[in-house]
C-alpha cells in the first residue's frame, strides 16, 4: 500500500511517499527558515504564503523521487492539526483537491501521532513503549500501547523545549531556529559553569515547565552583558552548555520516570529536539542503566516531515478509515481526541 503524506503544520512544507507504513520512497522538505530567520521566529502569515508557493512543487518532487504516479497511490494522509491554522489549511485543501480529482481515499492525521510513529520509518520498537515528543511546539510523554492507542502521561505547562532553545538562542544572538546553534556553541562550553534552575515540578508529576528556565537564562544574559556576573570569564558557550544541560536533565529524568510508571521496556524520542546529540547520549546512558531500550529516528525524520504523516496515515487507510471532504483543520488537537483505529 503506497501513501502520500503531506504536512504543512508550521513552517516546513513537506511531502513523503511511504510504502507499507515504513518503507520511505521519498521525503521532501522545503524549509522556510530563510523567510522567518530575520524575524527571529515563525511569522504565521508569511508561513501560509510560503506554503502556497511550495505545496505543488514539493508534492510533485515527492512523487517523482518515489517514481510513482497519482494513480499508484492507495491513500493521501494529511495533517489537520495541531498547528498554525493558515498553514494547515494550505496542506489540507491541496490534499482534498488531489483526493477528489483522482478519487483516492484521504485520511486526516494528527501531527503528534506522526511524530510518535516516525520511529517506524526505520525501526520496530515493541509495544508498549513510552514516547517523548520534543519539538518547537510540543513537549509530551505518551504511553503508546499500539497503533492509535496513546495515553498522554505528561505535557509542558508553558513553553515547549524547542521553543526554549529558540528563545535563548535569540537572546544570545545565535539566530533562529536555535537548537543547532545552541548545541554547536555548547561543544566549547562547560555545562556546570552556570547553575540554571530545573523545574522537576512536584512529586510524581510528568509535566514539564521551561518558562522559568528561559527567564532565568534571559536575566543572567542581561547581567552577563552588563558585566555584573562573577569573575568575568564566563563565555557564551558556557551559558549555552549550562542551559542545554538544564533542559536535558529534566527531559531525561521525566522520560525514565514515565518508563518506570508505564511498565514499558522501551523509550522512543521524536520531534526536532530529538536531533540533539547530547540529549540522545544522556538518554542512552540513563536508559541502559535502568534497563530500557532507547529508539530514536534519524534527524530527517525527527523534524517535521511528510513521511511520518504517511506512516501514521497508512494504519488509518488500512483500517478502512476515510475522511469526509468537509473535514476542517484544528489548531488544537489533543491526542485523546484521536479516532480509535
Ligand atoms: O519537530 P520540529 O521540526 O517542528 C515542530 O513540530 O515544532 O521541531 C523544531 C524544533 C525547533 O525549536 C528547533 O530549535 C529544535 O526543534 N531543534 C533542536 C535541534 N534541532 C532542532 N533543539 C535542540 N537541539 C537540536 N540539535
Ligand atoms: Zn512537529
Amino acid at each position: 500500500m503506497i501513501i502520500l503524506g503531506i504536512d504543512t503544520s508550521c513552517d516546513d512544507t513537506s511531502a513523503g511517499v511511504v510504502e507499507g507504513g515504513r518503507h520511505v520512497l521519498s521525503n521532501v522538505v522545503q524549509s522556510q527558515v530563510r523567510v522567518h530567520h530575520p524575524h527571529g521566529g515563525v511569522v504565521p502569515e508569511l508561513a501560509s504564503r510560503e506554503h502556497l508557493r511550495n505545496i505543488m512543487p514539493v508534492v510533485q518532487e515527492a512523487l517523482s523521487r518515489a517514481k510513482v504516479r497519482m494513480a499508484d497511490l492507495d491513500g493521501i494522509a494529511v495533517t489537520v492539526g495541531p498547528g498554525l491554522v493558515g498553514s494547515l489549511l494550505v496542506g489540507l485543501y491541496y490534499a482534498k483537491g488531489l483526493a477528489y480529482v483522482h478519487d483516492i481515499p484521504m485520511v486526516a492525521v494528527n501531527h503528534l501521532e506522526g511524530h510518535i510513529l516516525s520511529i517506524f520509518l526505520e525501526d520496530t520498537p515493541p509495544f508498549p513503549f513510552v514516547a517523548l515528543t520534543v519539538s518547537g511546539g510540543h513537549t509530551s510523554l505518551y504511553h503508546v500501547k499500539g497503533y492509535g492507542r496513546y495515553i498522554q502521561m505528561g505535557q509542558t505547562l508553558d513553553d515547549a523545549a524547542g521553543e526554549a532553545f529558540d528563545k535563548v538562542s535569540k537572546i544570545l544572538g545565535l539566530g533562529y531556529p536555535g537548537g543547532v546553534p545552541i548545541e554547536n556553541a555548547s561543544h566549547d562550553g562547560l555545562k556546570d559553569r552556570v547553575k540554571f534552575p530545573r523545574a522537576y515540578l512536584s512529586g510524581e508529576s510528568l509535566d514539564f515547565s521551561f518558562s522559568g528556565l528561559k527567564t532565568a537564562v534571559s536575566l543572567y544574559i542581561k547581567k552577563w552583558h552588563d558585566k555584573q556576573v562573577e569573575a568575568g570569564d564566563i563565555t557564551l558557550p558556557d551559558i549555552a552548555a549550562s542551559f542545554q544541560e538544564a533542559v536535558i536533565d529534566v527531559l531525561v529524568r521525566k522520560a525514565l520516570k514515565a518508563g518506570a510508571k508505564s511498565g514499558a521496556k522501551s523509550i522512543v524520542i521524536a520531534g526536532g529536539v530529538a536531533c540533539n546529540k547530547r540529549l540522545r547520549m544522556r538518554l542512552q546512558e540513563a536508559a541502559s542503566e535502568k534497563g530500557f531500550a532507547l529508539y530514536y529516528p534519524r534527524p530527517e525524520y525527527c523534524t517535521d516531515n511528510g513521511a511520518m504523516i504517511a506512516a501514521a496515515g497508512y494504519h488509518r487507510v488500512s483500517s478502512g478509515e476515510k475522511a469526509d471532504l468537509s473535514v476542517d483543520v484544528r489548531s488544537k488537537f489533543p491526542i485523546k481526541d484521536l479516532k480509535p483505529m
Side-chain angles (χ1 to χ4, degrees), residues 7 9-10 82 111-112 115 134-138 271-272 302-305 308:
D7 186 89
S9 58
C10 189
H111 182 78
L112 304 170
H115 277 302
V134 259
S135 69
H138 315 276
C302 282
T303 47
D304 290 350
N305 67 87
M308 71 181 192

Side-chain angles (χ1 to χ4, degrees), residues 95-106:
K96 281 185 187 186
L98 288 180
Y100 181 72
V101 170
H102 298 278
D103 196 20
I104 300 169
M106 182 187 89

